[in-house]
Amino acid sequence: MPRRQSPKKPKPLPPKPKTYLGLRLWVLALLVLGLALIACGLFFLLQADPDEPSYRSPMRIERVQLLPGEDYAQSRVVSWRCGEELADSYLLLSYERPKGRRGRLQTETLRYQAEGQQVVTASGRACYYQVALDSLQPGTQYRYRLVTGGVQSEVYSFRTPIEAADSLQFVYLGALDTATPQQKRQLLERIDRSFPDLDLLALTGNYLTGANDAAWGAWYELLGRRSSRLPQLVVPGTASYIKEHTGYALDPRWRAQYPYPTNGPEGYLGRSYYVDYPYVRFVVLDAARLLSWGGIQVQRSWIRQALQCDERQWRIVLLHLPVDRVLEEQQHLVMHYFLRDELIAAGADLILQGHDGCYGRASQRSAAGDTIPPVLVVSPAVSQEAHNTFDKGYDRLGTGLALYQHIVVSRRQLHYSAYRLGTAPPDSLAARDSLYDELVLRRTETGELKFVDRARALPEIFNYNAFASNKRGQKKAAQYQHELEARQRARREALKKRPK
């Protein structure tokens, strides 16, 4: 009888090779991150601003700048540049005041010691000086002379506002970066002739052509004596920053030339700041290169604090990058998603912005559909070929315009007017600027704000036709024309429904 064979045992399967999937994903993620960091480094390395030409600071007093102090009614700050080595410097301030029983006017002269600092860049060095003038008398004409190392300046002057002044007037200028020196000069001369008694000049656009000594010199040559008599509120723009290999840094000359109040947030002292007048607070925000999450949070927190002022004060905010673009381009993410709602919720009444080459004025709507503050304005001070948006959120738009804004603020009213710069020479009889936009904010006895739009019947102007001649360009031109006609129809319909 044959032996029964036992069944063969199946051979064991070979072990599955270890895939290490999780480890591979981590390695891939680290590789992608490393490549991204290398790309960013190469970007800043290649895009870093070219070295500026070497420069010297002569031993003469120049670039004299008059600025408001924290209390505009009673304080001023004067800064200037002179030489390359620090020297003993001071300011002589003279004014007339009544003295004796008969109240005869007698000139009194005060001496203020200056603080100096040496600013060193890769291309040169210069010394800047500053003096803070406090407890100034209302309605007084002051004269001052600057002295550095035995070198004396000419005599400059300024006047403080009357104590019972019923209004404050200033001019606001937006985007200036593409303007030629001749266009800037014409604009400043036109403002001088139209509004000789201004209290302030506010700049939110890139007034400098770059962060270099030549650009600073050209700007002060254009300003002339205006910078020594008319206080300025200046916002750091993108052109005020130097692109370095690791990121952006504010031009060190900016703080030396503009020693504004240090009441801003940590890390932005003198760059974000506020200035008070009895019935208005100006809040200046440096957000031109706001990239870090920590910086965003610091600025947001400070905005809430800075706008929590006396309810009887108007709150006017100045910044460079718009929180809502007027150009047909992607939004500035930080400005739109992190600062826009903060400014509105904190109680701003008027937000003046620069950078974009198109005009736009927007407002908010209440639950009942009424127009309410804040009013947001983006404006170019020089005509530019720029493709604007037709966003319905804008009450008024414009393209290809050179504009400046004259704003008068009183205790109960804020009157905003935008003027289109005429093409005739400033000294010509035909030199007349046309009104392009106008609105009024009124505060009632109960504190309620009323909004009056006086530009509803004024036509909007769109001087833009920079489309390519190819098929794609003509398609864009047709789409632009379609959107333009739709907006014009909507404005005509809204005007018909307006109560007479």
Side-chain angles (χ1 to χ4, degrees), residues 463-483:
N463 294 327
Y464 179 75
N465 191 28
F467 296 103
S469 58
N470 56 27
K471 186 176 180 180
R472 183 178 179 184
Q474 293 308 301
K475 184 178 179 180
K476 288 184 176 181
Q479 177 64 25
Y480 186 86
Q481 185 65 28
H482 174 73
E483 293 179 353

Side-chain angles (χ1 to χ4, degrees), residues 70 233-236 241 250 254-255 258-275 282-290 295-296 298-303 306 317-320 339:
E70 183 173 331
L233 289 175
V234 182
V235 181
Y241 277 77
L250 185 66
W254 201 94
R255 284 284 292 119
Y258 298 129
Y260 284 112
T262 53
N263 50 23
E266 194 66 34
Y268 295 87
L269 296 179
R271 297 154 54 184
S272 291
Y273 59 93
Y274 63 81
V275 171
F282 294 95
V283 177
V284 176
L285 185 64
D286 175 18
R289 296 296 183 187
L290 194 56
I296 293 170
V298 165
Q299 293 278 34
R300 280 163 56 95
S301 176
W302 179 75
I303 288 170
V317 178
L318 307 173
L319 66 160
H320 177 65
L339 294 184

Side-chain angles (χ1 to χ4, degrees), residues 35-274:
L35 290 174
L37 292 175
I38 292 172
C40 289
L42 288 174
F43 172 79
F44 279 106
L45 182 64
L46 296 174
Q47 297 295 322
D49 288 337
D51 294 336
E52 68 172 301
S54 61
Y55 63 90
R56 301 295 301 270
S57 176
M59 193 59 191
R60 67 168 180 265
I61 293 173
E62 59 184 5
R63 304 183 190 181
V64 179
Q65 180 66 65
L66 180 68
L67 302 172
E70 183 173 331
D71 181 354
Y72 175 82
Q74 301 185 67
S75 61
R76 295 288 184 274
V77 178
V78 180
S79 70
W80 68 95
R81 190 181 89 154
C82 183
E84 297 180 345
E85 302 294 337
L86 289 173
D88 181 53
S89 300
Y90 55 90
L91 179 150
L92 297 174
L93 184 70
S94 302
Y95 67 102
E96 293 182 339
R97 72 171 190 171
K99 199 168 187 179
R101 293 182 179 179
R102 296 184 179 181
R104 291 180 178 177
L105 294 177
Q106 183 172 341
T107 301
E108 183 167 338
T109 301
L110 303 174
R111 172 172 166 155
Y112 292 83
Q113 195 66 25
E115 296 182 11
Q117 63 172 308
Q118 186 185 63
V119 176
V120 180
T121 67
S123 302
R125 60 184 178 180
C127 291
Y128 293 80
Y129 301 87
Q130 65 181 67
V131 170
L133 307 174
D134 296 316
S135 302
L136 299 176
Q137 301 300 311
T140 302
Q141 180 80 16
Y142 286 94
R143 296 183 300 277
Y144 64 96
R145 184 190 295 274
L146 309 171
V147 181
T148 294
V151 177
Q152 295 189 6
S153 73
E154 58 184 293
V155 177
Y156 305 102
S157 65
F158 67 90
R159 176 177 288 276
T160 53
I162 302 172
E163 187 171 17
D166 58 357
S167 65
L168 174 78
Q169 61 169 324
F170 68 99
V171 161
Y172 140 65
L173 298 178
L176 267 169
D177 46 338
T178 61
T180 64
Q182 182 179 356
Q183 289 173 322
K184 292 178 182 177
R185 185 177 293 107
Q186 180 184 2
L187 176 62
L188 292 172
E189 291 175 355
R190 191 67 58 85
I191 293 170
D192 287 343
R193 289 176 178 272
S194 301
F195 309 105
D197 299 319
L198 284 179
D199 296 299
L200 280 170
L201 178 64
L203 301 167
T204 65
N206 279 326
Y207 53 95
L208 296 175
T209 56
N212 56 71
D213 188 73
W216 282 100
W219 174 243
Y220 275 95
E221 183 180 353
L222 283 170
L223 285 176
R225 294 180 65 91
R226 297 179 188 90
S227 65
S228 65
R229 61 172 174 79
L230 180 61
Q232 294 180 19
L233 289 175
V234 182
V235 181
T238 50
S240 302
Y241 277 77
I242 299 173
K243 189 180 292 183
E244 299 177 333
H245 297 315
T246 56
Y248 295 93
L250 185 66
D251 185 346
R253 289 164 285 218
W254 201 94
R255 284 284 292 119
Q257 189 71 71
Y258 298 129
Y260 284 112
T262 53
N263 50 23
E266 194 66 34
Y268 295 87
L269 296 179
R271 297 154 54 184
S272 291
Y273 59 93
Y274 63 81

Side-chain angles (χ1 to χ4, degrees), residues 13 17 32-33 35 145 218 386 424 439:
L13 296 174
V32 171
L33 179 61
L35 290 174
R145 184 190 295 274
L439 65 90

Side-chain angles (χ1 to χ4, degrees), residues 225-488:
R225 294 180 65 91
R226 297 179 188 90
S227 65
S228 65
R229 61 172 174 79
L230 180 61
Q232 294 180 19
L233 289 175
V234 182
V235 181
T238 50
S240 302
Y241 277 77
I242 299 173
K243 189 180 292 183
E244 299 177 333
H245 297 315
T246 56
Y248 295 93
L250 185 66
D251 185 346
R253 289 164 285 218
W254 201 94
R255 284 284 292 119
Q257 189 71 71
Y258 298 129
Y260 284 112
T262 53
N263 50 23
E266 194 66 34
Y268 295 87
L269 296 179
R271 297 154 54 184
S272 291
Y273 59 93
Y274 63 81
V275 171
D276 276 332
Y277 196 69
Y279 41 81
V280 61
R281 169 170 285 189
F282 294 95
V283 177
V284 176
L285 185 64
D286 175 18
R289 296 296 183 187
L290 194 56
L291 300 175
S292 70
W293 177 247
I296 293 170
Q297 291 300 93
V298 165
Q299 293 278 34
R300 280 163 56 95
S301 176
W302 179 75
I303 288 170
R304 291 191 290 269
Q305 298 173 12
L307 291 175
Q308 286 179 356
C309 53
D310 191 325
E311 291 184 356
R312 295 170 296 179
Q313 286 182 301
W314 297 98
R315 302 168 179 90
I316 300 177
V317 178
L318 307 173
L319 66 160
H320 177 65
L321 294 178
V323 296
D324 281 321
R325 299 297 300 271
V326 188
L327 293 178
E328 188 64 35
E329 294 182 8
Q330 187 178 2
Q331 294 283 4
H332 293 294
L333 301 181
V334 171
M335 306 302 298
H336 183 74
Y337 293 104
F338 293 102
L339 294 184
R340 180 184 182 277
D341 292 343
E342 198 68 53
L343 289 168
I344 295 173
D349 296 306
L350 179 63
I351 302 174
L352 304 175
Q353 304 152 104
H355 191 271
D356 283 5
C358 299
Y359 181 76
R361 189 249 294 168
S363 55
Q364 308 304 303
R365 298 290 185 270
S366 67
D370 298 325
T371 304
I372 58 174
V375 177
L376 299 94
V377 177
V378 184
S379 179
V382 61
S383 177
Q384 300 182 37
E385 280 277 3
H387 192 313
N388 60 279
T389 179
F390 287 106
D391 192 325
K392 294 180 181 179
Y394 279 100
D395 303 324
R396 191 159 180 79
L397 292 169
T399 306
L401 304 172
L403 300 166
Y404 63 88
Q405 284 71 21
H406 179 239
I407 302 169
V408 182
V409 188
S410 62
R411 296 184 187 277
R412 298 284 185 188
Q413 179 173 289
L414 188 154
H415 186 184
Y416 168 95
S417 304
Y419 292 93
R420 185 185 179 194
L421 191 66
T423 56
D427 55 352
S428 168
L429 294 176
R432 183 173 299 176
D433 302 332
S434 56
L435 183 67
Y436 188 73
D437 196 6
E438 184 180 17
L439 65 90
V440 176
L441 295 178
R442 292 196 180 100
R443 179 175 283 122
T444 65
E445 294 289 342
T446 60
E448 183 183 3
L449 287 179
K450 298 291 187 181
F451 183 101
V452 181
D453 188 343
R454 293 183 176 176
R456 294 182 185 274
L458 294 177
E460 291 181 324
I461 298 175
F462 297 94
N463 294 327
Y464 179 75
N465 191 28
F467 296 103
S469 58
N470 56 27
K471 186 176 180 180
R472 183 178 179 184
Q474 293 308 301
K475 184 178 179 180
K476 288 184 176 181
Q479 177 64 25
Y480 186 86
Q481 185 65 28
H482 174 73
E483 293 179 353
L484 173 58
E485 292 173 355
R487 179 174 178 85
Q488 292 173 336

